[in-house]
Amino acid sequence: METSARNVFHGKVVAVRSGAVNDEVELSVEGGQSIVASITQTSTKKLGLKPGVEAMALIKASFVLLMNDAEDYLLSTRNQFSGTVSRVTPGAVNAEVLVDLLGGTGITAIVTMGSVDKLQLAPGKKVTAIVKAMHVILAVPR
């Protein structure tokens, strides 16, 4: 699959929780991580999502937020991934930050250069990558 999303996680659906409008779909992905997506019930049905179905979670790098003190807070964000910065590629306005996650996977974030300075993002820095469930796109093979 060709996509512009920087973060693509392959896995299997482990749970589908139906709501009045949206469903919460939980995927178990490589590296032992779990990703929750909030999608419409129509999408759940169209994609045939149910436990055991193989699916991919796509997350744009600009939807990934980074925190360096997440353990000090209770966050409403469903997807929280602890890791270590492995690379920072600075640009004129933004930087690309690669975070190595537990289990050997990684996640890429695009953040402002101001955030790089404020959070002191550099290789070896411990951070938490945060992604709202509404920002996760699910895909299944045809």
Side-chain angles (χ1 to χ4, degrees), residues 62-119:
S62 58
F63 290 156
V64 179
L65 305 177
L66 299 178
M67 268 183 98
N68 61 6
D69 57 355
E71 65 279 353
D72 296 334
Y73 296 91
L74 294 175
L75 302 171
S76 63
T77 309
R78 295 298 307 272
N79 300 299
Q80 301 175 34
F81 311 103
S82 297
T84 305
V85 173
S86 63
R87 186 177 73 229
V88 177
T89 305
V93 176
N94 293 326
E96 178 184 81
V97 181
L98 179 60
V99 178
D100 290 337
L101 304 176
L102 301 175
T105 61
I107 192 165
T108 300
I110 299 293
V111 301
T112 64
M113 289 304 296
S115 291
V116 169
D117 293 338
K118 183 177 180 181
L119 297 173

Side-chain angles (χ1 to χ4, degrees):
M1 176 173 74
E2 299 290 327
T3 178
S4 65
R6 293 298 308 278
N7 302 294
V8 179
F9 297 91
H10 298 269
K12 285 191 179 183
V13 175
V14 294
V16 176
R17 292 177 280 285
S18 292
V21 176
N22 285 354
D23 290 342
E24 260 187 9
V25 180
E26 183 177 351
L27 267 69
S28 176
V29 298
E30 64 268 6
Q33 303 287 337
S34 178
I35 296 178
V36 176
S38 178
I39 64 173
T40 64
Q41 289 179 351
T42 302
S43 292
T44 301
K45 289 176 186 166
K46 178 183 173 186
L47 297 175
L49 297 172
K50 59 187 174 191
V53 169
E54 290 191 23
M56 291 169 278
L58 294 86
I59 304 169
K60 289 179 55 85
S62 58
F63 290 156
V64 179
L65 305 177
L66 299 178
M67 268 183 98
N68 61 6
D69 57 355
E71 65 279 353
D72 296 334
Y73 296 91
L74 294 175
L75 302 171
S76 63
T77 309
R78 295 298 307 272
N79 300 299
Q80 301 175 34
F81 311 103
S82 297
T84 305
V85 173
S86 63
R87 186 177 73 229
V88 177
T89 305
V93 176
N94 293 326
E96 178 184 81
V97 181
L98 179 60
V99 178
D100 290 337
L101 304 176
L102 301 175
T105 61
I107 192 165
T108 300
I110 299 293
V111 301
T112 64
M113 289 304 296
S115 291
V116 169
D117 293 338
K118 183 177 180 181
L119 297 173
Q120 299 176 345
L121 298 175
K125 176 79 171 188
K126 301 285 186 198
V127 295
T128 301
I130 300 165
V131 180
K132 292 175 61 172
M134 295 289 289
H135 287 163
V136 177
I137 299 167
L138 297 180
V140 296
R142 288 190 181 256

